[in-house]
């Protein structure tokens, strides 16, 4: 975890409280030949944080990048980094990703043998611990762990690729978690990832999403500033 992570996260929470939902651009489809420049462009375009998709070619079919790239992004970025681990046995590498500079470490419930222990370990290492669920996983399965996670990431596409179509099953899950949080008074954040566009961001924000990951909607736009501003404006208009 980076030394200024506490500050970066405090800033993210303050933005959420003051301005409502934020967009976290996913780097998956960015120009990796000019990674530092992409990070700089996204941050100066107003990104409240960046989302990094680590895929191992086993938990999901695609292989993306690992520690070396996360460290490079950490060096280039000023703001908070969310590392979304789509790997088998994430328990074996969380310590390394925490050290590499993850401020939020997101692990998939489907890949964990002891979710409670893994989430507690992440927290003890420093990063915020977020729990992700794929579209086929019932939302009730995260309920036993809500007291030990700082956020729940509801996947609105099958993990593995950018540019897929939004699956509306995420809306029910977000609404369910938002209601549960209100009822039980929890403090976990609600996040969503996959298929976010100007059409889908309104509904996810209305359902309670606060950290909204957007890959292609930002990266495939010629103007990152305009893309982020437009998405956040729509999200904030409905909350
Ligand atoms: C999918 C990844 C997403 C992806 C989002 O497995 O977790 O973060 O990059 O890309 P879009 O927004 O294009 O669906
Ligand atoms: Zn992701």
């Amino acid at each position: 975890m980076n030394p200024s992570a506490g500050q970066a996260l405090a800033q993210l929470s303050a933005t959420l409280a003051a301005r409502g939902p934020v967009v976290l651009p996913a780097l998956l489809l960015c120009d990796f030949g000019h990674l530092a420049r992409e990070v700089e462009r996204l941050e100066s375009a107003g990104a409240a944080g960046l989302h990094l998709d680590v895929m191992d070619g086993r938990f999901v079919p695609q292989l993306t990048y690992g520690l070396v790239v996360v460290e490079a992004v950490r060096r280039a970025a000023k703001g908070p980094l969310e590392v979304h681990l789509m790997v088998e046995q994430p328990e074996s590498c969380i310590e390394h990703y925490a050290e590499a500079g993850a401020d939020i470490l997101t692990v998939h419930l489907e890949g964990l043998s002891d979710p409670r222990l893994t989430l507690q370990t992440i927290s003890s290492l420093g990063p915020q611990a977020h729990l992700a669920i794929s579209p086929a996983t019932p939302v009730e399965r995260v309920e036993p762990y809500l007291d030990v996670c700082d956020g729940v990431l509801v996947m609105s596409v099958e993990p593995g690729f950018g540019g897929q179509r939004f699956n509306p099953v995420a809306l029910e899950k977000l609404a369910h978690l938002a209601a549960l949080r209100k009822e039980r008074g929890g403090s976990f954040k609600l996040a969503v990832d996959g298929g976010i566009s100007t059409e889908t961001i309104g509904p996810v924000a209305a359902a309670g999403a606060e950290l909204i990951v957007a890959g292609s909607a930002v990266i495939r736009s010629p103007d990152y500033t305009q893309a982020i501003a437009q998405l956040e404006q729509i999200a904030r208009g409905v909350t």
Side-chain angles (χ1 to χ4, degrees):
M1 174 146 151
N2 83 91
S4 57
Q7 208 183 338
L9 285 168
Q11 205 178 350
L12 183 59
S13 295
T15 307
L16 276 181
R19 294 197 277 146
V22 297
V23 165
L24 301 182
L27 297 181
L28 192 58
L29 301 172
C30 83
D31 178 2
F32 280 89
H34 299 95
L35 184 57
R37 192 182 71 186
E38 289 282 61
V39 168
E40 203 273 318
R41 275 184 72 200
L42 287 164
E43 289 197 327
S44 50
L50 300 174
H51 179 92
L52 282 73
D53 291 301
V54 173
M55 305 184 191
D56 67 352
R58 296 193 300 182
F59 182 74
V60 291
Q62 202 188 171
L63 182 66
T64 56
Y65 52 77
L67 286 170
V68 176
V69 170
V70 173
E71 283 162 2
V73 174
R74 177 71 282 156
R75 284 194 296 274
K78 296 187 185 77
L81 302 182
E82 174 181 24
V83 175
H84 179 190
L85 288 177
M86 286 162 275
V87 301
E88 279 184 0
Q89 294 180 318
E91 303 88 346
S92 63
C93 62
I94 51 180
E95 191 177 345
H96 303 300
Y97 283 98
E99 260 168 39
D103 301 301
I104 300 173
L105 206 37
T106 302
V107 285
H108 270 263
L109 180 63
E110 300 85 7
L112 298 175
S113 51
D114 188 342
R116 176 168 290 272
L117 179 65
T118 304
L119 291 162
Q120 286 172 327
T121 307
I122 293 172
S123 299
S124 72
L125 292 165
Q128 301 269 297
H130 285 204
L131 189 57
I133 47 168
S134 295
T137 304
V139 67
E140 291 75 18
R141 282 192 51 202
V142 302
E143 289 181 23
Y145 311 110
L146 292 175
D147 62 322
V148 283
C149 69
D150 301 297
V152 178
L153 177 71
V154 175
M155 291 297 297
S156 36
V157 296
E158 211 49 56
F161 299 95
Q164 300 179 77
R165 197 183 186 77
F166 179 80
N167 182 338
V169 73
L171 296 175
E172 295 156 36
K173 292 181 182 178
L174 288 165
H176 177 86
L177 290 167
L180 208 63
R181 186 174 60 180
K182 206 168 168 194
E183 213 178 282
R184 295 190 191 168
S187 62
F188 56 91
K189 293 192 170 63
L190 285 174
V192 67
D193 183 7
I196 296 302
S197 66
T198 49
E199 279 80 50
T200 57
I201 197 163
V204 296
E210 299 157 308
L211 301 172
I212 304 177
V213 178
S216 45
V218 174
I219 305 292
R220 288 196 177 138
S221 150
D223 183 341
Y224 292 171
T225 306
Q226 205 251 334
I228 294 171
Q230 189 186 15
L231 289 166
E232 287 186 344
Q233 208 171 14
I234 299 171
R236 290 165 189 168
V238 297
T239 54

